[in-house]
């Protein structure tokens, strides 16, 4: 097994070098035979990567502790699902997963029907092969998934209890699907620069890829947030930790990119901007991996102090310099035929502002994340940038983005008239101001929550107005019933309405985030029978018990909940003792409603059964998860194929003899 | 001037305002990250300054007062320099011997670190500990210590 495993890695590494060389030869000599051989090798690499994955799953599932990775991250008592999910618990395994996705995407692009006889394909595959070569180099020589131990341990070390959570099964996979997915539009962009095909072909071809990658990136972040919220007992879903920031930055730049590409498609503008954005997004995925694996920053996430980060930094630098060189050398060509702004207030300019703010936000997060390093290098002291910095900087940025989201979709292309603006915005604006007044009268005095709720209301209303207006217009012509007209309207412009649904999802998420301004927290040590009051809730501590949960033991507390004198049942916060983990792990108890979460943590207990509780009321948190669901739904709607799906764009670049 | 140039100039204004926001927010919302030995030697220098430091937890130093919800413990760096920490709050998860504890707060004049935030570094996300640490009997021992009957 050990030999087979290593063969799949080494062979794939050599095959990727071979494929890259024959592709370059094929391109230079314009000889299809070389390209065909490269294609075969690309498929071969994918098959080998799949084999490595299957093998690793078998080793993990059957507890082959002679393998270092299996011994490090699993134990025989672990439920099968976590034995398998341990594949992405460590460095070697998670990089193997990354490589597998990369080879899968590469094979999909290389053998895609849409790219058949397209002269860009060999270039795209070569760029993807460069990535594959790098990852296989790491797997072959730096962190080997199939390394074996000198002495086989009787038992494995087991998986960190915090990782024994459904979040662990989905969070890394979704995040990597997003990260790796960005390599595809990047490869298309670079290929279009190399072949000097400066139209929007690469953008149209990768639209679905990018939205899928973006949706996975969103899901990855949200699942991570949900995991942190329920598993860590911090009571929060986002802490502006470097590791979280690492996955938030590419999300921001891809969001910008998804908007600005529309301008290139329609108006042939912002070409350099779009190329730069996709290069930046791709570079940020590598930068994130560098941050996570290098241990250069202080984070609550543990980083192995390995030299892995350095490899990622070098590779990232190489790819960025290479891309920038290509971009600069094609500068004059790209500038040719670039469209012009026709009016200051137009959809084009509003998209540009949205892009600048998103990029400004990315820079703010980047600055806050790397400032400790910069300060250490320049002044010798390592400075920490805390949550207050991010809140101060990001709150106005996010609010202005929400405001732009409210008005951008309704501003006309080219030129917006005053009447056009009045028709669409007057009623939503009046209602939003009324909402603001109600919120203030209800006693909310802080500027941010009032502004936040007002802008979110405005945004939801402008979108609803757009749905109503267009449905009405359609009914006027077709005389269809309202639901039919709405359905057909949406189905015929999936991209537009998918985008609107995504916006509504963001509004709901923002609603939940603004709710965090009103959270309340209490900590108390109670004896049995004593009560704790928080907000409208009264909790009575009734019992401290112990129960077996498979091989694990749990200590739990039972608290009766009462609200306004009404009995709401019980809540059971607990701490779980895992078989091979010294310290117990918090299992938060949450009672959720759309209005608020009652969040209870059992922090500890004394010999006389007094127990210490942390209790929080987190208003509106559920809307974050609901909004994320709506957002993904919108993304899926936008890319759904079928009769009114995307028409294949035509390649109009320079002719080549190889495909 | 072309419209494109004008729009881009206006756009740069947005970017500039974000930069100004960054520059003004950085000094007020950041603190220094200081190693323990440096804090021990130059404690006076850091009084009144928000500081982050980290070290390995010395488990037998932990004193917990449940009624007051007060936690006291010592951490030490690899060379054995110690720092006493006081925290009004509860133990975070994984608060066990030799775990890296990150503390944020202020140093008092008597050299005690008053933390307003205590975090443990979530272990082995990407790299595990040494296999020798594993002890299969540990769970049974923990059960004995718990001594909680289900009533």
């Amino acid at each position: 097994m050990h030999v087979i495993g290593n063969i799949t890695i080494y062979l794939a590494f050599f095959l990727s070098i071979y494929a890259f060389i024959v592709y370059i030869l094929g391109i230079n000599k314009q000889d299809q035979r070389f390209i065909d051989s490269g294609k075969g090798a690309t498929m071969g690499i994918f098959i080998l990567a799949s084999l490595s994955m299957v093998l690793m799953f078998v080793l993990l599932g059957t507890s082959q502790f002679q393998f270092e990775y299996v011994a490090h991250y699993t134990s025989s008592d672990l439920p099968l699902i976590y034995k398998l999910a341990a594949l992405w618990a460590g460095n070697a395994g998670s990089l193997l997963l990354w490589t597998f996705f990369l080879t899968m995407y590469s094979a999909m692009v290389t053998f895609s029907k849409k790219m058949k006889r397209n002269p860009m394909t060999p270039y795209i595959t070569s760029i993807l092969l460069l990535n594959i070569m790098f990852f296989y180099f790491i797997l072959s020589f730096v962190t080997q998934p199939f390394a074996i131990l000198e002495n086989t341990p009787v038992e494995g070390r087991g998986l960190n209890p915090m990782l024994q959570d459904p979040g662990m099964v989905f969070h890394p996979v979704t995040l990597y699907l997003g990260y790796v997915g960005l390599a595809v539009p990047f490869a298309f962009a670079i290929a279009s620069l190399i072949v000097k095909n400066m139209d929007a072909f690469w953008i149209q071809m990768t639209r679905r890829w990018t939205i899928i990658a973006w949706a996975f990136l969103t899901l990855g972040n949200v699942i991570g947030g949900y995991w942190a919220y329920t598993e860590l007992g911090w009571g929060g879903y986002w802490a502006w930790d470097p590791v979280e920031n690492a996955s938030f930055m590419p999300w921001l730049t891809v969001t910008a990119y998804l908007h600005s590409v529309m301008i290139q498609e329609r108006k042939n503008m912002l070409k350099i901007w779009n190329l730069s954005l996709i290069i930046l997004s791709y570079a940020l995925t590598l930068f994130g991996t560098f941050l996570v694996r290098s241990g250069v920053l202080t984070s609550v996430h543990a980083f192995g102090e390995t030299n892995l980060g350095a490899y990622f930094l070098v590779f990232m630098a190489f790819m960025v310099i290479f891309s920038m060189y290509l971009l600069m050398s094609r500068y004059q060509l790209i500038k040719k035929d670039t469209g012009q702004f026709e009016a200051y207030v137009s959809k084009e300019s509003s998209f540009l502002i949205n892009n600048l703010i998103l990029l400004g936000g990315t820079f703010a997060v980047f600055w806050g994340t790397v400032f400790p390093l910069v300060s250490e290098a320049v002044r010798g002291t390592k400075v920490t940038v805390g949550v207050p910095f991010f809140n101060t900087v990001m709150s106005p940025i996010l609010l202005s983005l929400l405001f732009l989201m409210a008005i951008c979709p309704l501003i006309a292309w080219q030129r917006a008239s005053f009447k056009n603006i009045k028709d669409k915005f007057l009623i939503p604006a009046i209602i939003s101001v009324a909402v603001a007044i109600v919120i203030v009268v209800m006693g909310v005095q802080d500027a941010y929550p009032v502004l936040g709720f007002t802008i979110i209301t405005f945004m939801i209303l402008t979108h609803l107005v757009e749905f109503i207006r267009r449905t009405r217009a359609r009914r006027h012509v077709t005389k269809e019933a309202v639901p039919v007209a709405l359905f057909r309207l949406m189905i015929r412009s999936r991209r537009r309405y998918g985008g609107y649904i995504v916006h509504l999802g963001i509004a709901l998420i923002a609603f939940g985030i603004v709710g965090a301004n009103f959270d309340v927290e209490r900590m108390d040590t109670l004896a049995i029978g004593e009560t704790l009051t928080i907000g409208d809730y009264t909790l009575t501590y009734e019992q401290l018990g112990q129960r077996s949960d498979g091989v694990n033991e749990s200590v739990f507390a039972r608290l009766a909940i009462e609200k306004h004198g009404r009995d709401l049942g019980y809540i059971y916060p607990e701490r779980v003792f895992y078989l091979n983990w010294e310290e117990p792990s918090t299992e938060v108890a949450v009672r959720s409603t759309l209005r608020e979460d009652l969040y209870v943590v059992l922090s500890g207990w004394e010999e006389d059964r007094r127990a210490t509780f942390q209790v929080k009321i987190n208003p509106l948190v559920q809307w974050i998860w609901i909004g994320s669901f709506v957002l993904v739904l919108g993304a899926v709607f936008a890319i759904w194929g079928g009769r009114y799906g995307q028409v294949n764009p035509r390649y109009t670049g320079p002719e080549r003899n190889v495909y | 001037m072309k419209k494109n140039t004008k729009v881009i100039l206006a756009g740069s204004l947005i970017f500039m305002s974000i930069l100004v926001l960054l520059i003004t927010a950085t000094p007020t919302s950041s603190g220094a990250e200081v190693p323990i030995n440096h804090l021990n030697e130059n404690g006076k220098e850091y009084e009144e300054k928000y500081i982050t430091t980290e070290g390995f937890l010395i488990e037998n130093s932990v004193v917990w007062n449940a009624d007051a919800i007060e936690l006291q413990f010592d951490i030490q760096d690899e060379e054995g320099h110690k720092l006493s920490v006081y925290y009004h709050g509860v133990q975070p998860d994984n608060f066990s011997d030799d775990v890296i504890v990150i503390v944020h707060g202020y140093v008092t004049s008597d050299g005690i670190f008053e933390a307003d935030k205590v975090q443990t570094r979530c272990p082995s996300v990407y790299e595990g500990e040494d296999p020798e640490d594993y002890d299969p009997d540990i769970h049974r021992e923990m059960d004995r210590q718990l001594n909680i009957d289900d009533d």
Side-chain angles (χ1 to χ4, degrees):
Chain A
M1 292 287 248
H2 159 67
V3 178
I4 300 172
N6 280 335
I7 284 176
T8 61
I9 301 284
Y10 292 133
L11 199 57
F13 177 53
F14 288 114
L15 215 50
S16 62
I17 298 175
Y18 168 79
F20 184 73
I21 293 172
V22 289
Y23 263 114
I24 300 299
L25 281 174
I27 290 167
N28 275 338
K29 294 180 185 296
Q30 291 289 294
D31 188 336
Q32 188 65 34
R33 285 173 305 174
F34 284 111
I35 302 288
D36 287 341
S37 176
K39 277 189 180 176
T42 308
M43 183 50 87
I45 299 165
F46 169 58
I47 293 168
L48 284 168
S50 314
L51 264 175
S52 313
M53 289 283 288
V54 171
L55 199 61
M56 201 66 197
F57 276 131
V58 171
L59 297 178
L60 288 162
T62 54
S63 300
Q64 305 288 321
F65 296 129
Q66 70 273 32
F67 285 85
E68 192 182 335
Y69 194 81
V70 181
H72 271 207
Y73 296 103
T74 64
S75 53
S76 37
D77 59 281
L78 204 63
L80 183 64
I81 184 79
Y82 294 122
K83 279 186 186 174
L84 300 179
L87 193 139
W88 41 89
N91 257 329
S94 56
L95 290 174
L96 179 63
L97 177 74
W98 187 308
T99 313
F100 168 71
F101 284 150
L102 200 54
T103 61
M104 180 178 80
Y105 285 167
S106 303
M108 281 165 81
V109 171
T110 311
F111 291 91
S112 146
K113 267 190 193 151
K114 285 181 191 166
M115 291 302 289
K116 213 169 183 181
R117 301 194 67 78
N118 189 316
M120 266 171 71
T121 317
Y123 296 89
I124 297 164
T125 313
S126 308
I127 304 294
L128 289 168
L129 278 166
L130 258 180
N131 283 277
I132 294 176
M133 267 160 59
F134 168 72
F135 277 92
Y136 267 117
F137 169 78
I138 297 283
L139 289 177
S140 302
F141 304 109
V142 187
T143 171
Q144 297 157 322
F146 294 104
I148 45 171
L149 293 165
E150 275 177 33
N151 302 311
T152 306
V154 193
E155 187 50 89
R157 231 189 286 162
L159 191 64
N160 181 338
M162 284 181 197
L163 302 181
Q164 297 181 38
D165 182 273
M168 168 63 184
V169 181
F170 300 110
H171 166 69
V173 178
T174 43
L175 209 58
Y176 285 178
L177 278 169
Y179 264 7
V180 185
L182 290 179
V184 177
F186 169 77
F188 268 80
I190 297 300
S192 80
L193 281 173
I194 297 174
V195 300
K196 300 182 181 171
N197 178 27
M198 292 305 142
D199 59 14
F201 175 80
W202 71 273
I203 282 175
Q204 289 158 348
M205 282 304 291
T206 53
R207 191 178 74 84
R208 282 190 184 171
W209 280 103
T210 319
I211 296 181
I212 291 170
W214 178 85
F216 274 121
L217 215 50
T218 314
L219 262 182
N221 277 321
V222 171
I223 296 172
Y226 184 76
W227 184 7
Y229 183 66
T230 53
E231 187 65 22
L232 293 176
W234 291 347
Y237 42 81
W238 195 262
W240 295 111
D241 188 86
V243 173
E244 296 165 0
N245 295 346
S247 55
F248 187 45
M249 286 187 278
W251 187 88
L252 287 170
T253 54
V254 177
T255 309
Y257 169 82
L258 282 173
H259 287 89
S260 60
V261 290
M262 284 188 246
I263 303 185
Q264 184 171 345
E265 279 177 79
R266 281 224 186 196
K267 314 289 297 178
N268 214 19
M269 292 161 72
L270 301 181
K271 286 192 219 167
I272 295 174
W273 181 262
N274 286 330
L275 284 161
S276 311
L277 268 183
I278 203 67
I279 294 168
L280 177 65
S281 305
Y282 164 80
L284 281 172
T285 64
L286 294 176
F287 178 72
T289 315
F290 154 72
L291 273 188
V292 175
R293 321 270 165 156
S294 64
V296 293
L297 287 168
T298 303
S299 160
V300 283
H301 293 74
F303 305 112
E305 300 254 341
T306 62
N307 52 0
L308 248 182
Y311 289 99
F312 274 91
L313 201 61
V314 170
F315 182 63
M316 183 188 77
F318 169 73
M319 290 306 259
V320 170
I321 293 169
F322 169 61
S323 316
M324 293 320 284
Y325 164 73
L326 271 178
L327 194 63
M328 290 302 137
S329 63
R330 308 293 196 257
Y331 184 73
Q332 291 304 330
L333 198 68
I334 305 169
K335 259 184 77 181
K336 227 169 65 182
D337 308 326
T338 293
Q340 295 285 321
F341 282 99
E342 285 167 43
Y344 298 119
V345 182
S346 63
K347 202 181 262 298
E348 296 90 305
S349 57
S350 73
F351 272 17
L352 185 68
I353 297 172
N354 134 309
N355 260 246
L356 286 167
I357 297 181
L358 279 166
L359 214 64
T362 313
F363 185 69
V365 178
F366 178 80
W367 177 258
T369 310
V370 301
F371 190 70
L373 297 180
V374 176
S375 133
E376 193 180 23
V378 176
R379 296 193 312 193
T381 34
K382 211 168 183 177
V383 167
T384 52
V385 179
V387 175
F389 165 83
F390 289 103
N391 287 346
T392 313
V393 177
M394 291 309 280
S395 301
I397 291 178
L398 294 177
L399 279 182
S400 40
L401 272 178
L402 286 172
F403 182 70
L404 272 181
M405 277 163 75
I407 55 168
C408 277
L410 308 193
I411 292 180
W413 286 97
Q414 292 171 15
R415 193 180 292 269
S417 69
F418 178 71
K419 186 180 176 306
N420 167 293
I421 291 174
K422 198 187 91 183
D423 283 353
K424 289 174 177 170
F425 297 120
L426 190 63
I427 296 173
I430 292 171
I431 300 178
S432 308
V433 171
V435 167
I437 293 169
V438 171
I439 295 172
V440 174
V441 169
M442 278 167 69
V444 181
Q445 302 295 336
D446 293 345
Y448 273 131
V450 175
L451 258 177
F453 285 134
T454 311
I455 295 175
I456 292 165
T457 312
F458 183 58
M459 178 182 152
I460 292 176
L461 286 174
T462 56
H463 279 71
L464 288 184
V465 164
E466 179 73 355
F467 275 93
I468 294 168
R469 213 173 52 87
R470 287 191 183 257
T471 311
R472 200 180 275 166
R474 188 182 161 87
R475 283 193 68 206
H476 192 70
V477 181
T478 61
K479 312 286 181 218
E480 291 162 342
V482 175
V484 179
L486 176 67
F487 178 73
R488 291 208 173 136
L489 176 77
M490 287 175 65
I491 220 83
R492 276 172 167 76
S493 328
R494 290 179 190 182
R495 192 170 169 183
R496 173 200 295 261
Y497 288 95
Y500 289 169
I501 297 171
V502 168
H503 281 184
L504 289 173
I506 301 257
L508 297 181
I509 294 174
F511 187 57
I513 293 172
V514 177
N517 283 287
F518 307 101
D519 59 358
V520 197
E521 185 176 3
R522 271 204 72 173
M523 260 186 291
D524 226 336
T525 302
L526 304 176
I528 296 218
E530 282 185 333
T531 59
L532 173 156
T533 307
I534 181 166
D536 300 330
Y537 295 93
T538 304
L539 302 174
T540 310
Y541 170 41
E542 292 189 346
Q543 181 200 359
L544 187 69
Q546 188 178 356
R547 63 180 168 81
S548 292
D549 186 10
V551 289
N552 304 322
E553 293 285 323
S554 290
V555 172
F556 67 89
R558 187 177 76 196
L559 295 110
I561 315 170
E562 220 180 69
K563 191 178 179 186
H564 297 308
R566 228 182 63 198
D567 191 3
L568 295 179
Y570 298 100
I571 199 161
Y572 298 90
E574 59 183 25
R575 283 170 86 78
V576 182
F577 288 82
Y578 288 84
L579 189 62
N580 47 10
W581 212 261
E582 198 177 335
E583 280 291 306
S585 225
T586 300
E587 283 297 325
V588 178
V590 186
R591 185 185 179 278
S592 292
T593 61
L594 291 181
R595 189 190 149 103
E596 63 202 7
D597 279 11
L598 176 68
Y599 186 99
V600 186
V601 179
L602 171 64
S603 295
W605 53 86
E606 312 303 313
E607 280 175 2
D608 59 0
R609 289 177 185 252
R610 281 180 309 141
T612 308
F613 298 96
Q614 277 175 289
V615 186
K616 284 189 86 172
I617 295 178
N618 294 321
L620 309 177
V621 174
Q622 288 301 308
W623 292 100
I624 295 176
W625 323 128
I626 296 171
S628 312
F629 179 73
V630 173
L631 184 152
V632 172
L633 209 68
V636 172
F637 188 82
I639 54 169
W640 206 257
R643 204 169 137 204
Y644 300 100
Q646 190 189 22
V647 181
N648 276 350
R650 276 192 48 193
Y651 174 77
T652 54
E655 282 304 312
R656 295 278 195 284
N657 297 324
V658 289
Y659 305 100
Chain B
M1 206 188 301
K2 276 190 194 169
K3 259 188 187 152
N4 269 12
T5 323
K6 282 191 191 166
V7 172
I8 288 164
L9 272 180
S12 335
L13 270 181
I14 298 172
F15 210 77
M16 291 301 286
S17 46
I18 291 176
L19 275 187
V20 171
L21 198 66
L22 278 185
I23 292 162
T24 49
T26 311
T28 53
S29 340
S30 55
E33 192 178 327
V34 188
I36 293 176
N37 61 343
H38 204 73
L39 265 186
N40 287 350
E41 288 159 20
N42 313 294
K44 286 264 179 293
E45 197 183 306
Y46 292 105
E47 275 176 36
E48 311 284 313
K49 281 187 186 151
Y50 194 70
I51 288 168
T52 297
T53 189
E54 63 173 37
F56 299 96
L57 178 72
I58 306 171
E59 196 171 16
N60 57 20
S61 70
V62 177
V63 179
W64 161 240
N65 179 345
D67 295 315
I69 310 193
E70 279 174 1
L71 189 65
Q72 287 175 55
F73 57 92
D74 295 345
I75 52 175
Q76 63 179 359
D77 63 14
E78 272 161 358
E79 283 93 46
H81 301 102
K82 280 187 191 168
L83 180 72
S84 296
V85 182
Y86 166 86
Y87 175 52
H88 178 67
V90 293
Q91 294 184 9
D93 270 14
N94 276 315
F95 204 67
S96 55
D97 210 18
D98 259 0
V99 149
I100 294 177
V101 180
I102 306 169
V103 289
H104 310 265
Y106 298 89
V107 193
T108 57
S109 50
D110 45 6
I112 305 256
F113 193 91
E114 282 196 8
D116 71 357
K117 201 158 142 198
V118 173
Q119 296 168 308
T120 48
R121 192 174 274 189
C122 137
S124 75
V125 172
Y126 286 112
E127 283 301 313
E129 298 159 50
D130 293 331
E132 300 90 67
D133 292 349
Y134 174 68
D135 180 2
D137 291 331
I138 208 157
H139 188 235
R140 248 162 277 135
E141 174 61 16
M142 272 179 337
D143 269 3
R144 199 183 55 74
Q145 285 172 359
L146 280 174
N147 198 23
I148 288 170
D149 320 309
D150 206 353
D151 52 10

